[in-house]
Amino acid sequence: PAPAPAAAPAPAPAAAGEARRSGDRPRSTPPVRKLARDLGIALDALRGTGPGGLITRADVLSALAGTTESPAAAVGTPATPAGPLPAAGTARTARAGETRTPIRGMRKHTAAAMVASAFTAPHVTEFLTIDVTPTMDLLADLRASRAFEATKATPLTIVAKAVCIAIARNPTLNSSWDEEAQEIVQYADVNLGIAAATPRGLLVPNIKAAQDLSLADLAKALNALAETARAGKTPPADLAGGTISITNIGVFGIDAGTPILNPGEAAILALGAVRSMPWEYQGTIALRSVLTLSLSFDHRLVDGEQGSRFLADVGTILRNPAMVLTMV
């Protein structure tokens, strides 16, 4: 039989504005158009890398990563008498000592994303305070082991691994809500987002398929993620596709909070500070290492039972890491 004709090559991505008639709307999907609108990104200025020049979420995030945020300039104008606020669109006159910074770049992206999340997903937050002395003992042993000679292991390392294990037992927390299709999308891979405070603002890069990493490899990935974020070199691909996130507020000395979901994700876990506190232990009171976990989840996707079981599983591992043997 004659060979089948070769498939026609896929069209190359169109340059910005190329092959687009005046007045035509750039090709993209409704969620991507909404993302671009929230971030203040003009689709007309983007080069689509999807099939046939389709503008994708990654294209929008790449454009965002390319924006720069000018440093604040101190304003030293004389004080003006108090009066009515200027009309909309009228430039404000700064008072003495005020500093005004234009909202753009990553700060604008973070603000838009948090507002969209807070007013779209019905948040529920649960708290769990636990004795993590066995986890701290494990960390001391790991730091002395050969496998962790060149890698820093922290409480976040153990929490990240515990989240991956708990997700396997409670997969609804690794999902998203597709409003356009009216479907719940459940993911096989845990693309674990880690909130990172940087000079440019809050970033949440994620570790792809974190469930497949050993504890040592997960520690290496966490360290590399933090270093790259602080250096401002996080690639756009690492900011897209997250499925669940962790925010480590304990590094700032904070015990608990109500974290806001990263848009498109079902849950976020806040890790509080580890403190030495009097705690009931084996029928008496002893000084123990104690921390609080705060879990926020999207109640459209996650019922209270599922969120509670997930949080309890993470807590069980941190109370006694050997319990992992009963979970995998």
Side-chain angles (χ1 to χ4, degrees):
E18 185 177 289
R20 188 185 299 154
R21 294 191 301 270
S22 177
D24 281 356
R25 184 166 63 170
R27 293 185 62 241
S28 63
T29 62
V32 172
R33 286 196 291 271
K34 182 179 185 304
L35 175 66
R37 185 168 62 251
D38 291 343
L39 303 182
I41 301 295
L43 291 180
D44 285 324
L46 301 188
R47 176 191 295 270
T49 60
L54 184 76
I55 297 174
T56 67
R57 178 183 176 87
D59 295 331
V60 175
L61 292 175
S62 181
L64 176 68
T67 61
T68 56
E69 202 168 355
S70 60
V75 179
T77 54
T80 57
L85 292 175
T90 304
R92 291 176 179 268
T93 301
R95 298 177 181 178
E98 280 187 349
T99 298
R100 290 180 173 267
T101 305
I103 303 170
R104 59 167 65 100
M106 191 55 63
R107 177 63 60 189
K108 185 173 184 178
H109 162 64
T110 301
M114 292 300 98
V115 169
S117 176
F119 291 97
T120 301
H123 285 56
V124 173
T125 305
E126 296 184 342
F127 304 90
L128 179 64
T129 302
I130 50 177
D131 176 1
V132 294
T133 306
T135 287
M136 302 308 291
D137 292 341
L138 171 62
L139 284 172
D141 291 340
L142 291 177
R143 289 164 184 156
S145 70
R146 181 177 300 177
F148 286 82
E149 283 179 343
T151 305
K152 182 180 179 181
T154 68
L156 179 60
T157 310
I158 308 299
V159 171
K161 190 64 176 177
V163 164
C164 292
I165 293 169
I167 283 290
R169 292 162 56 89
N170 306 274
T172 57
L173 279 88
N174 199 48
S175 60
S176 66
W177 183 276
D178 189 331
E179 182 65 30
E180 182 182 6
Q182 286 294 288
E183 295 175 340
I184 293 174
V185 183
Q186 188 166 298
Y187 302 104
D189 283 340
V190 179
N191 293 344
L192 184 62
I194 305 296
T198 75
R200 295 181 59 206
L202 180 68
L203 294 178
V204 191
N206 61 81
I207 300 168
K208 303 294 191 286
Q211 80 282 355
D212 293 336
L213 299 180
S214 68
L215 189 63
D217 288 339
L218 189 55
K220 293 175 184 176
L222 288 168
N223 292 336
L225 177 148
E227 292 174 5
T228 303
R230 284 194 294 266
K233 298 180 179 179
T234 301
D238 285 357
L239 296 172
T243 60
I244 187 171
S245 294
I246 299 173
T247 178
N248 187 5
I249 59 177
V251 295
F252 305 109
I254 304 302
D255 297 323
T258 52
I260 297 178
L261 296 169
N262 203 31
E265 298 178 9
I268 180 171
L269 181 70
L271 171 64
V274 179
R275 301 192 183 280
S276 182
M277 296 176 61
W279 199 258
E280 189 278 328
Y281 177 68
Q282 295 183 350
T284 186
I285 300 297
L287 279 178
R288 307 287 288 176
S289 296
V290 176
L291 71 76
T292 298
L293 299 171
S294 311
L295 175 71
S296 290
F297 54 86
D298 184 340
H299 217 326
R300 297 174 301 176
L301 294 158
V302 181
D303 294 335
E305 177 187 3
Q306 298 159 345
S308 298
R309 289 187 183 277
F310 170 84
L311 186 57
D313 282 347
V314 174
T316 295
I317 295 171
L318 298 180
R319 283 192 189 97
N320 183 3
M323 291 299 292
V324 168
L325 299 176
T326 69
M327 296 181 175
V328 297

